[in-house]
Amino acid sequence: CDCHNDPGPCIAACLCFDCFLLWRVYKIVDRSRWLDIQILGRAGRDNACTVLLVLILLLIFDSYATEVSMKSAAKLTVHTDEHGKLVWNVQDNLRDPAAKAQAEAMLSIAFVLNLMFRYALFEAVSSRFRIPGDGIDLFKVCCCGCCTYLRMGRHVDRYHETCAYAARYS
């Protein structure tokens, strides 16, 4: 993931990924000036907040799907009996097949939507900044969203710094 070259954002991602994600996506879109995102069309400085709004809606849906899934999952309770011994009690809430199916469907939809957004943004940044692919980009995007956003951010930041440096000294 090459986090040792960019420790600040990497630490921020570890501490609060949702806050990091909102900041990083906004900076990627804002500093890119323009990106052709397959799902959203052309995005850039003028409508970076629109991309951020879509991401916020995805995060809200993901949180809601997780909450529904957690409520339909098994619950573990620990208490002491009359002799003072610990008793573990597992209550299975997955007996209702409709609730289980709804929870699984919502989590699957949330995962696919987040993956589509991440891949669309990655493709837009890759084509805009000519990031060389190594044949397993889709695998990386699927398996580690944090690393994907860090990588995109590094490319956009370096391009932005190079342009600022060139404008200052030309």
Side-chain angles (χ1 to χ4, degrees):
C1 145
D2 204 24
C3 289
H4 62 280
N5 288 333
D6 203 10
C10 185
I11 291 170
C14 292
L15 294 177
C16 182
F17 183 72
D18 290 344
C19 297
F20 159 78
L21 180 61
L22 293 171
W23 167 77
R24 186 79 265 184
V25 168
Y26 178 79
K27 286 297 184 184
I28 288 170
V29 175
D30 183 54
R31 289 182 174 175
S32 296
R33 295 194 182 148
W34 61 266
L35 290 172
D36 286 324
I37 302 175
Q38 294 173 358
I39 300 170
L40 303 173
R42 185 163 273 219
R45 281 189 176 153
D46 298 335
N47 60 348
C49 289
T50 304
V51 176
L52 207 57
L53 179 64
V54 169
L55 181 59
I56 289 170
L57 292 174
L58 285 173
L59 289 174
I60 290 171
F61 181 70
D62 187 46
S63 296
Y64 178 72
T66 303
E67 183 69 25
V68 167
S69 175
M70 294 301 285
K71 284 184 179 178
S72 68
K75 292 182 183 178
L76 174 68
T77 56
V78 180
H79 63 278
T80 56
D81 64 2
E82 62 274 355
H83 303 292
K85 293 183 180 180
L86 287 177
V87 177
W88 299 78
N89 185 17
V90 177
Q91 178 185 2
D92 187 9
N93 291 339
L94 296 177
R95 297 192 195 282
D96 182 13
K100 181 180 178 181
Q102 178 189 11
E104 289 174 354
M106 287 184 72
L107 278 177
S108 298
I109 291 169
F111 174 76
V112 168
L113 288 175
N114 281 316
L115 187 61
M116 286 173 52
F117 178 83
R118 187 182 321 140
Y119 187 73
L121 187 62
F122 178 77
E123 281 295 310
V125 171
S126 294
S127 65
R128 167 79 166 89
F129 296 103
R130 296 181 185 94
I131 299 173
D134 55 6
I136 58 170
D137 288 333
L138 180 60
F139 178 75
K140 289 179 181 178
V141 170
C142 291
C143 292
C144 188
C146 184
C147 294
T148 301
Y149 287 113
L150 285 167
R151 180 179 176 197
M152 286 187 289
R154 275 195 305 274
H155 281 282
V156 172
D157 289 346
R158 288 179 186 145
Y159 177 81
H160 183 72
E161 290 168 4
T162 302
C163 288
Y165 180 81
R168 206 173 332 151
Y169 295 105
S170 60

